[in-house]
Amino acid sequence: MISTRTFRWIYVGLWTLRICFALLGTGYIHPDEHMQNGEVTSGDLMPYHTIRTWEWSAVLPVRSIVPAFATTGIPVWFAKVLSKKHLIQGVHPILLFRLERSAFLFLSGLIDYSLMSLVPTPSARRLGLLLLASSHVMNTFQVRPFSNSIEAVLVSLSLLFLRKIRSVKMLDKSYYVHLLAITFVTGIFTRPTFLIFGAPIAFQVALGTFIHAGTVTRWLRLVVPPLFTAAGTCTVFLVVDTLYFRGTLDDIVVTPFNFLMYNFASQNLAEHGLHPRWLHVFVNLPMLFGPWITWLVVRAIVDSATLFNKKNDKSFEADVLRPTIIQMIILSLSVLSVQPHQEPRFLVPLLLPIIVLIANTGQLTHVGKTFWVSCSIFNFVLAILFGILHQGGVVPSLFHLHPLVANASLGTRTNIIYWKTYMPPLHLLGVNERDVATGLVSFVDLAGASQDDFAASLSADDYDRTFLVTPVAMRYTLPPAITGCMELNQTIFPHLDLDHISESIDAGVLDGLRLGVYTLSRNCVFV
């Protein structure tokens, strides 16, 4: 059994690691980590040129602006105010990046806090916190501005409020029910999939309050006021979203409804990639949480009937949490597996419930050193992969280009081309919207375009200078007519391009893990 002193040192060390991954880790997991949040809020608050993806279309918006502004918008707004008062020197893209990460680093701490309250036994609580803090999910997904990360925090808080509501000592404190109502509405407007995770919690709250009330009349007196709170919160979201997207209240915008309508259309999902329906259960779940934790969860679910019948296991809060979490796991995996588009981050909200389940069943106190060593290695490798290596050069390349573009000589027309990388979040380039509108700066994202399309984009270039950002490995695939015109300006290490593994291997270990920023010669003619 781990001592309290040892636990504190390890836990502080893990939190230090999380801070480093949050503020220094430039790994790029998925474009949504920027396009669903920071790209939009920075574009609204700063004079920077940004990209608005289809999710923020004024015609059919599927994202509420409230969660984005409540997370990254507020710190960016404060930085903007401080900049205007000359308390800080401008809002540099690096500052924007770290403000966004700091906001979600703080939010990740709410998950730790929830676990402290959800696991009553001190020894199991300590082990649960270590398992949570060492998870690569906490060091990667949860410190990035994903909507799934916000959803995971709201699921954790909902379980915390459930415990408070169902606790004998807290039954008379109805404000927890009101807090749960607000959390539920916020979760639905953040991601409508929150309904899947929250349904078992809502059932337990309804059941617990009814048992406490004794009669339907008294039960209605308990639940109707929180329902009004939920309605009021919903109204706030509707008004803010409608004013944001429409500018008037004549045409109400209901983003959760738009989200569902979009995702129910199979042709829309096909644009984002179709996956086998077993992917969540057999690939995404073990990849996020590890095969050992997945096995412990399966054991907990299989043994649940026996555990609940043990007389010496009658902890009231634990008895409420266990069936709720088991229902949440089964329901979420079942419903989310029906959809043919399945990404690992969709299951991120299950992290805390899963750890609470295996901690409260006492399984963590019986695992040996092999479990902890193998889990640590697994999580460290994936944290390095997603937090540092994967597309890790894209964001630093924007930081590198910012002073080159921002301090350009007056009248110098600059073109920036990205090829064979993830979509660059342009708010981290920090180019003024006015410069783009006047043609002083141009930006082209070729994504995974073919070599012919890439060459065609170069032949149409008539700018004073052109920067090309692409993996160094891709340079080896280009003809001499093009490579001879590419002058290396900067290399950024590390940058792992999993979409072009064969090219990276052919380029060698060093060049295969680097992103290149090149300057194209104006004297070349590309045909």
Side-chain angles (χ1 to χ4, degrees):
M1 189 62 63
I2 188 171
S3 66
T4 303
R5 181 182 176 86
T6 303
F7 159 75
R8 287 175 180 171
W9 277 106
I10 297 176
Y11 187 59
V12 168
L14 291 173
W15 253 98
T16 303
L17 194 63
R18 190 188 306 181
I19 293 171
C20 291
F21 271 108
L23 301 182
L24 303 176
T26 57
Y28 192 175
I29 300 175
H30 191 281
D32 283 353
E33 71 182 80
H34 298 290
M35 303 305 162
Q36 290 183 355
N37 205 314
E39 186 79 355
V40 176
T41 55
S42 294
D44 287 335
L45 293 170
M46 305 300 298
Y48 295 156
H49 173 68
T50 57
I51 298 174
R52 283 183 177 265
T53 56
W54 61 272
E55 297 167 300
W56 302 97
S57 167
V59 178
L60 190 71
V62 301
R63 297 284 174 199
S64 171
I65 193 61
V66 178
F69 263 90
T71 50
T72 64
I74 292 176
V76 170
W77 179 81
F78 271 112
K80 180 181 179 181
V81 171
L82 294 175
S83 176
K84 286 183 176 181
K85 293 184 178 182
H86 305 289
L87 297 176
I88 58 175
Q89 290 185 340
V91 184
H92 193 278
I94 294 179
L95 177 60
L96 282 179
F97 174 79
R98 288 180 177 161
L99 285 173
E100 293 171 8
R101 291 292 186 85
S102 296
F104 276 77
L105 177 66
F106 169 78
L107 289 177
S108 74
L110 295 178
I111 299 180
D112 294 67
Y113 173 75
S114 298
L115 188 141
M116 292 179 191
S117 300
L118 292 171
V119 181
T121 308
S123 59
R125 184 189 307 130
R126 289 195 293 268
L127 294 175
L129 281 171
L130 292 182
L131 194 59
L132 177 72
S134 63
S135 171
H136 75 91
V137 175
M138 296 297 290
N139 291 322
T140 54
F141 290 93
Q142 282 303 140
V143 295
R144 283 166 168 73
F146 282 112
S147 60
N148 312 86
S149 304
I150 304 174
E151 184 182 31
V153 173
L154 296 173
V155 168
S156 302
L157 293 176
S158 297
L159 281 172
L160 174 62
F161 295 146
L162 168 65
R163 180 190 176 278
K164 299 291 187 181
I165 292 166
R166 292 297 302 265
S167 172
V168 175
K169 297 178 182 179
M170 297 292 177
L171 280 171
D172 295 327
K173 297 188 178 181
S174 60
Y175 59 82
Y176 283 111
V177 186
H178 290 274
L179 288 175
L180 184 63
I182 295 171
T183 304
F184 259 63
V185 174
T186 304
I188 293 169
F189 275 85
T190 300
R191 289 187 65 86
T193 52
F194 179 88
L195 277 170
I196 304 169
F197 299 101
I201 299 174
F203 171 76
Q204 288 292 347
V205 170
L207 179 63
T209 52
F210 183 78
I211 292 173
H212 173 66
T215 65
V216 174
T217 303
R218 293 181 61 189
W219 179 70
L220 290 175
R221 289 175 182 172
L222 281 175
V223 300
V224 168
L227 290 177
F228 276 108
T229 299
T233 307
C234 183
T235 302
V236 171
F237 274 87
L238 293 174
V239 170
V240 172
D241 285 340
T242 302
L243 290 175
Y244 179 79
F245 290 107
R246 299 283 188 265
T248 175
L249 294 176
D250 294 338
D251 183 14
I252 298 297
V253 173
V254 187
T255 54
F257 177 78
N258 295 342
F259 179 97
L260 293 174
M261 291 302 99
Y262 182 90
N263 283 277
F264 284 154
S266 57
Q267 66 272 19
N268 292 335
L269 296 180
E271 295 179 5
H272 302 279
L274 299 179
H275 308 113
R277 286 178 167 81
W278 46 260
L279 195 68
H280 270 329
V281 174
F282 294 105
V283 177
N284 294 340
L285 191 70
M287 184 177 74
L288 280 179
F289 310 125
W292 308 272
I293 293 179
T294 303
W295 167 244
L296 292 180
V297 171
V298 172
R299 279 187 54 188
I301 294 175
V302 171
D303 297 342
S304 60
T306 304
L307 289 170
F308 297 147
N309 289 330
K310 286 184 178 180
K311 298 297 182 181
N312 60 353
D313 195 46
K314 285 290 184 178
S315 168
F316 187 75
E317 292 87 353
D319 282 344
V320 172
L321 288 175
R322 289 175 197 167
T324 304
I325 291 174
I326 290 173
Q327 292 162 13
M328 183 187 296
I329 294 170
I330 295 174
L331 180 64
S332 61
L333 286 175
S334 300
V335 176
L336 293 176
S337 294
V338 172
Q339 285 289 82
H341 180 62
Q342 302 183 15
E343 296 184 30
R345 59 194 172 96
F346 296 168
L347 302 182
V348 164
L350 287 177
L351 175 63
L352 176 104
I354 282 176
I355 293 180
V356 169
L357 175 65
I358 60 179
N360 278 334
T361 54
Q363 296 186 78
L364 291 181
T365 59
H366 297 99
V367 297
K369 290 183 179 179
T370 303
F371 170 85
W372 289 103
V373 171
S374 56
C375 276
S376 299
I377 295 174
F378 170 84
N379 283 301
F380 183 74
V381 169
L382 287 188
I384 294 295
L385 174 63
F386 291 122
I388 297 175
L389 297 178
H390 187 252
Q391 294 286 325
V394 174
V395 170
S397 71
L398 295 167
F399 297 157
H400 171 74
L401 289 171
H402 170 70
L404 300 179
V405 178
N407 299 328
S409 301
L410 185 63
T412 302
R413 299 172 67 247
T414 304
N415 189 26
I416 301 173
I417 301 174
Y418 273 75
W419 184 49
K420 300 292 185 180
T421 69
Y422 271 11
M423 180 188 296
L426 293 188
H427 72 287
L428 299 180
L429 178 61
V431 173
N432 197 295
E433 179 65 41
R434 181 184 63 254
D435 293 339
V436 176
T438 58
L440 192 61
V441 178
S442 175
F443 179 85
V444 180
D445 177 23
L446 293 176
S450 66
Q451 190 176 120
D452 291 338
D453 291 338
F454 168 66
S457 70
L458 299 182
S459 64
D461 189 353
D462 61 350
Y463 288 83
D464 297 320
R465 59 178 182 172
T466 296
F467 293 106
L468 169 64
V469 183
T470 190
V472 173
M474 300 311 300
R475 186 179 187 277
Y476 293 89
T477 67
L478 295 172
I482 295 180
T483 58
C485 298
M486 296 168 56
E487 179 183 348
L488 185 62
N489 179 280
Q490 179 73 23
T491 58
I492 299 169
F493 178 89
H495 177 89
L496 177 61
D497 184 6
L498 293 178
D499 295 324
H500 304 94
I501 288 293
S502 59
E503 291 90 342
S504 298
I505 293 175
D506 292 340
V509 176
L510 185 59
D511 284 348
L513 288 174
R514 292 195 299 172
L515 183 72
V517 180
Y518 299 91
T519 304
L520 297 182
S521 173
R522 290 190 63 198
N523 299 323
C524 290
V525 178
F526 302 99
V527 293

